[in-house]
Amino acid sequence: MTALIDTEDRTELDAAANRELGARSRKLLFSLLRPYRTRVILTLVANLVHNMAILAGPLLIAAAIDRGVPAALRGDTQVLVLCGVAYAATSILSAALHGVFVMQLNRLGQDVLFDLRQRVFDHAQRLALSFHESYTSGRLISRMTNDLRTLWDLVDSGMDDMIMSLITMVGVAAVLITLDAPLALVLLLSFIPILLITRWYRRVSVELYRATSSSMAKAIVHFVESMGGVRVVQSFRREEPNERTMDGLAGEYQSAWSRSMVTLGTFMGSIRFSGNASIAIMLLIGAYQVHDGTLQLGVLTAFLIYLRRFYDPLDDIAMFANAYASASAAMEKISGVLATEPTVADPENPVPLTKARGEVRFTDVRFRYGPDTPQVLSTLDLHIPAGQTVALVGETGAGKSTVAKLVARFYDPSEGTVSLDGIDLRDLADTDLRRAVAMVTQESFLFSGSVADNIALGKPSASRAEIEAAAAAVGAHGFIAALPEGYDTDVRKRGGRLSAGQRQLVSFARALLADPAVLILDEATSSMDIPTERAVQSALETVLTGRTALIIAHRLSTVLIADRVLVVDGGAVTEDGAPEELIAQGGAFADLHRTWLDSIR
Amino acid sequence: MRSPSAQPKRSTAASIRRLLSEAYPERWSFAAAIAVTLGAMLAGLAMPLLMRRIIDGPVASGDLTTLLWLSGLFLLAGAIEAGMFYLRRRIIATPVTMLEKRLRLRLFAHLQRLHLGFHDRWPSGQLLSRMGGDLSTIRRWLAMCLVFFVANGTVVITGLAILFYLSPVFGLIELVAMLPMVVISWIFEQKYKTVARRAQDQEGDLTTTIEESVQGLRVLKAFGRGKDRLKIFSAQARALRQSELHKAKLLALLWPLTMLLPEIALAVVLVDGGLQVAAGTLTLGTLVAAITICTYLDWPTRSIGWLLAESNETASAVERYYEFMDTEPSIVEPKRPKRPARPVRGLLRFEDVQFQYPGSDIPLLRGFDLELKPGETVALVGATGSGKSTAIGLVNRLYDVTGGRITLDGVDIRDLGLAELRTLVSMAFEEAVLFSASVRENVAMGSDRPVTDEEIEQALAVAQALDFVRELPAGLDTQIGEQGLSLSGGQRQRLALARAVLAKPPVLVLDDPLSALDVHTEAEVEAALRRVMVDGTALIVAHRPSTVLLADRVALLADGRITVLGTHQELLHSSPEYHRLLSTMEDDVEAEVAVP
């Protein structure tokens, strides 16, 4: 996974890596354009005809002056008027076609952008948690906002002129060759410096645009973090240190942009100078040839006039090269995310599971978060029969949450298997697994939107009555009904309108609504007050009947409703039995129980 | 969450003027860039003239003596033109990007200082889209459009003047052809700017969805709701696409018109001029010159369409930018800050405090009275959602009271310097926020002074975090936060607690600081806290009897005010509400599972 994206923050790469990135970006671009082949062609045709009409203009002017005026002098104004009308007609045609082109190009660009947006969003959702933990949210946000925007700029800036320029150049080159082939050969020679300059620019600009994209990503990471924690920023007077950090990051971005603008200036200036210098050289050569009598004066004149027409469009092509460099730096990064395979992937041939019973089994499970990190679970063998309520107890860092995350398949075990109803989790389709297993965590993230929407996340098809029933079951109905707009109240950014305990209740209701065969509660009641927690617990006793439950709690009151307690220590289960048994045996759990009794007296 | 944004109020010109006033320090750079652009145009104009001289002169006459000299001149003009191309960007690069940076930093600084009420109200994506996309739009306009606006305008006016000089009729024809442009531009501004603004707002909403979906990823994964989120995202992206296409439609009407009008004028000049030549009232040379000028005016006139679109886009980006910049922070420094007498004793009083969230109908706190004596620890207890967290957020002025007052050592906290107040009052929140930095930096935030590792270790020891921090790969230097090692909820909470106690503040405010800890650790933290809190005043929001026991007195918050106040034991017996909140379950369970 990391091999694809670890180049992301580097700006200078060796030739092989550059080629690989370029190939990957182009492949993505083509795959995006493929569905729109016909429209791409139609758009190009509209532009082609539009440009033909424009090219006809000067010919009509010439005809008007060379033929229309002399004819008018003889008293025949017909030709002149005809030329004028024809000129106006081609202008109207060309303008209309331009309108069509603009519309088509935008539609095409927007459709491609829309597809890409969806693709990146969808892919990011499917990528494993381990990817997200190392990639960070800010960078991903930056990919989906800033980098996608850069791609749009490619369509927005100069695609139009670029196409016209290419057509013009080809047309003019053809005219030049028919005018005087040897002189046209000199023209070809003048392309050597232009190609060299362009090659230089492509290499340098891609590096610079990589720098603008990376530095913007860093600034976005810092921005998102500061705004997300603004409460702490203000409480601990972090404003100034944060501004200094931002000053550094914005400075990096500024200097990268400034350098890329100056480099673009150098590029544009050099291209323009190459063009101008070759005109001067050809002027000299031509003049001597005319002097020697090997070239006609008229041909030279025509040649020079066309020559200028030949080099002018180079500006537009250079501008396009610039937009393209900027877009490919963005494309490299986006394609990197897209090329990352989800490590916790959907199986190709899933084993169907429509109605899970809820039997969970760990067989020889070992787990570590990364290849270089210590082992968190060592050879865990565990069988949880369907319908059993199991509590996991142990100190912070003992591996309780890891067990829960493996059951929810946030991660796959490094060795061994975790199975549900005898089916390896890796063989279950995501939809089947999620229908069977739901998890409530301590952080209880709420999305901005109504309370009802947040509960309905557990089951999007749920009716209002079902939502209210789920809320009532965990004792959340009372406070929700008391909100200004009841279930339709907007909970605001990350549920900021609710207290921590209320957010946990909403998360709880959400999980209940999902009606899973296996319910995982990871510190799901930690912020509730005692009566609320009590209500939740008495609700649990009914709710958990017929379900398998995995409860992680620090409060022993919650643990004691379990059928079975597992004490986890150092990545292994050290005690296993009914709570009463373990207390009677005297051991780690009995000690914990005693401490707890002391604490509440 | 819909963004509470308003419809455009200002005209494009007014917004652009405001932007230009920001660019005032860079005015000479812009002037130079414009001059250079015009210079490049002049050099470009000189080259065909020189070419004609060479062909008509040395080449036609066969006398090559002046050829080298004239060719050299031609090359010089070419070099000047190319040099000006380079210079335009060279001159503008630093000033424009510095201006962008300045605007960005100012926005960031301003947002950090805006009251929490603002942050509650605005979706995060709207903040980010202003910081990113809008400022890029502004930069692009400053770097490209501003210069061309002036340069092309100059060319058009000069061209028109020459046309009038050549033939007033031609001048009039061209002018008449340009007049509809004014009307079109005006109509266009009205329509385009509204759509541009809508698109920018939609982009902000889309960014919010992206942000939340990335940050709430665990929940989405846990319920397998990625596809549903994608539907919401797609609907928003489709709406944005719709607006962008609406913009395109307007452009597809505007651009052909701006192209067509000068062409039609040219056709009329051509026919009318040809007829005049035929009639003998005009020389052919003048006609050719007039047509040449008309074709020269082609691009500058055509560019008006593009410049208009970009300017409207930029104007609405500027508007969005100032929408935030013009929001005054409602939590502000007092005009004349008072200094509390030293040493600060830590007498904290809530006097008839009222608080109502903006947009809410009922006040959350109604006559909240509480006095914490210096050195006293008070636990604040109340049902979920009773306003405990709100009440403590008032102490360091994350929000301001809407009625009554809070005093520290007798001084209204609104009369204290904001930074001083927040130094005197240290906080730990229920949801521990750690930043992407080392453990050391995260904890050291708790103090304004430079702190030694020893002090940090002491604070970590109080929070029972020293052991696990020592076991981290790089100890205190371990990078944590989103860009570093991920810690468990309990570990995060302990680091936040260490941060709060680091500076040994006169007033310590803790919002349910131990909720994520296991019983064992909780007991140890409590023992250590009890030792630390001897000196300072502390207000602790608590849910558990164990935490409540840290306090000298307990205050029960119900119906927006403190209903009873006393020790834990007293209240257990005297207050049925308190009894319900803090005793029930544990007692019942204790009865159920008797220890043998």
Side-chain angles (χ1 to χ4, degrees), chain B residues 516-566:
Chain B
L517 304 189
D518 58 73
V519 190
H520 202 69
T521 318
E522 185 183 348
E524 284 172 5
V525 174
E526 276 160 9
L529 267 182
R530 212 168 279 141
R531 287 196 298 277
V532 175
M533 290 191 308
V534 172
D535 303 327
T537 307
L539 182 60
I540 303 178
V541 168
H543 284 136
R544 316 274 153 198
S546 48
T547 320
V548 166
L549 287 174
L550 279 172
D552 303 312
R553 284 191 301 160
V554 187
L556 177 68
L557 174 60
D559 299 327
R561 56 198 184 83
I562 300 297
T563 48
V564 281
L565 192 62

Side-chain angles (χ1 to χ4, degrees), chain A residues 499-518:
Chain A
S499 76
Q502 289 170 335
R503 286 200 293 276
Q504 285 191 339
L505 278 176
V506 171
S507 307
F508 229 109
R510 178 195 278 169
L512 271 192
L513 186 64
D515 189 23
V518 181

Side-chain angles (χ1 to χ4, degrees), chain B residues 368-419:
Chain B
F368 183 105
D369 282 300
L370 182 63
E371 181 181 293
L372 286 83
K373 296 187 185 69
E376 188 183 33
T377 299
V378 172
L380 188 59
V381 170
T384 299
S386 58
K388 304 182 295 291
S389 298
T390 305
I392 64 164
L394 299 175
V395 179
N396 74 348
R397 291 189 72 202
L398 287 177
Y399 296 92
D400 264 343
V401 296
T402 46
R405 62 178 201 152
I406 298 173
T407 61
L408 181 61
D409 286 359
V411 184
D412 190 323
I413 55 168
R414 284 169 295 188
D415 291 333
L416 294 172
L418 206 50

